Amino acid sequence: MVEPMSQQPSPELASWIADVTATSAPSFGSPLPGASTATVWPVEADGRALVAKVFDRGVEFAGEDHVRQDVAAMNAAAEVGLDAPRVVASDPDGERLGVPALVMTRLPGEPRPHGRPDGETWVDGLAETLIAIGEAGRPTAALPLYRSWYRAPIDVPPWTSDPGPWRAVNEVLVVRPPNGAPRFIHRDFHPFNVLWDGGRPTGTVDWVNGCLGPIESDVGTCRMNIVFSEDDHDGHALADRFLRRCLDGGLPWDPVWDLSFLAGAAHSTEVLVVGATVGARVTLDGVHRAFDRCVVAALAALEAGTD
């Protein structure tokens, strides 16, 4: 993970937040963990709990477009009444700080490490949050359309202990690419983008990938991330429970979406251990083992469904 440029906010950031909040002296906490493309600062400004996201990491393809996309999706979430941060100010072109940045309200709570202390309550809360997103109306604002994060044919990942199923993934995705009705989706809905306070989820953050697309993409992304836990419970069983709760809540599903996520993430699995920064027991080796097991399970589910 790329480290923040500084452990102290710049004077320019403090001045900008003071201007947009009419506060003489905003106060900053330490940068929040988990972000890979920006430094995320908690801010208190005249009693308001805010977050400043500053794209100062020098990460390729991260910056002004991310700010504009994040703002558009958060405004869409506000329009349809979802629990998400609200935009306070944005500077996509870096006019004030020299780098793109935005300021938003801060939801109460924090990410909850995988399954702790009660895995079933955890996945039920994640499903409840996603069902609310799936039931939200379609916003009037223009949003990008869903695009897959894999490109067929995919290469067999070099870390796998069983290349055969991965070759079968290519065959499936060519013949049966994932599809679904478009609606407003988060597009990167995983456990560490859901905040919790007092045992209940308080909302969803990091809307930069929000778009119009199949809600099945969010189901698959969260379902596969649940599997990666290495705490004292069965991540695969919790992922199945999460799926049952989503189905009970009226969300559609097809096992090909598991394969879509796995194919899209197979060559960048290092980003999936981000949960370790907030206390989750997740390792790269564990992710790779889970990927191999999930590929086999998804292929079996597809075959069973066509019998």
Side-chain angles (χ1 to χ4, degrees):
M1 183 178 299
V2 182
E3 292 298 323
M5 294 292 287
S6 172
Q7 290 295 316
Q8 296 294 325
S10 68
E12 292 80 8
L13 176 60
S15 175
W16 181 46
I17 293 177
D19 287 348
V20 300
T21 61
T23 303
S24 59
S27 61
F28 294 82
S30 299
L32 300 177
S36 58
T37 59
T39 303
V40 182
W41 296 96
V43 186
E44 295 289 335
D46 196 22
R48 298 177 67 189
L50 306 175
V51 169
K53 182 185 287 188
V54 182
F55 288 87
D56 57 0
R57 303 286 191 92
V59 177
E60 190 176 8
F61 306 124
E64 61 271 17
D65 288 343
H66 279 63
V67 171
R68 291 187 174 93
Q69 291 164 8
D70 215 349
V71 167
M74 281 191 287
N75 286 341
E79 180 186 343
V80 299
L82 291 173
D83 293 325
R86 303 300 189 237
V87 179
V88 174
S90 66
D91 181 15
D93 298 315
E95 295 180 358
R96 288 295 300 263
L97 308 184
V99 292
L102 64 98
V103 181
M104 67 197 90
T105 58
R106 178 160 30 116
L107 298 178
E110 58 189 16
R112 181 171 168 179
H114 285 62
R116 300 185 202 160
D118 177 355
E120 293 185 350
T121 299
W122 178 59
V123 296
D124 289 352
L126 294 173
E128 173 188 308
T129 303
L130 185 53
I131 290 166
I133 294 173
E135 291 178 343
R138 185 163 174 164
T140 59
L143 290 169
L145 298 178
Y146 169 88
R147 292 190 301 168
S148 174
W149 286 343
Y150 73 85
R151 292 291 178 267
I154 66 167
D155 295 328
V156 173
W159 45 258
T160 182
S161 60
D162 188 2
W166 286 96
R167 298 189 186 102
V169 170
N170 268 319
E171 298 173 10
V172 170
L173 292 178
V174 168
V175 174
R176 188 179 173 180
N179 195 15
R183 64 181 90 187
F184 180 41
I185 65 173
H186 183 275
R187 186 57 179 93
D188 192 24
F189 186 86
H190 60 72
F192 298 103
N193 279 335
V194 178
L195 303 186
W196 294 72
D197 187 35
R200 297 289 300 171
T202 59
T204 310
V205 298
D206 195 12
W207 285 85
V208 67
N209 294 295
C211 65
L212 298 178
I215 193 68
E216 295 95 324
S217 172
D218 279 345
V219 176
T221 295
C222 192
R223 175 172 150 76
M224 292 293 94
N225 273 270
I226 289 169
V227 169
F228 305 149
S229 166
E230 295 188 5
D231 282 305
D232 296 328
H233 56 253
D234 186 342
H236 294 268
L238 287 181
D240 288 343
R241 180 186 176 96
F242 168 79
L243 178 57
R244 290 195 300 272
R245 293 294 178 266
C246 289
L247 293 173
D248 291 345
L251 299 185
W253 179 244
D254 186 313
V256 77
W257 285 97
D258 282 355
L259 295 182
S260 175
F261 173 83
L262 294 164
H267 293 278
S268 56
T269 50
E270 64 279 356
V271 304
L272 299 173
V273 299
V274 67
T277 65
V278 293
R281 290 179 56 217
V282 57
T283 65
L284 193 56
D285 285 344
V287 169
H288 291 165
R289 290 193 300 270
F291 264 55
D292 278 346
R293 180 175 171 182
C294 289
V295 164
V296 172
L299 290 171
L302 283 168
E303 184 175 357
T306 58
D307 290 343

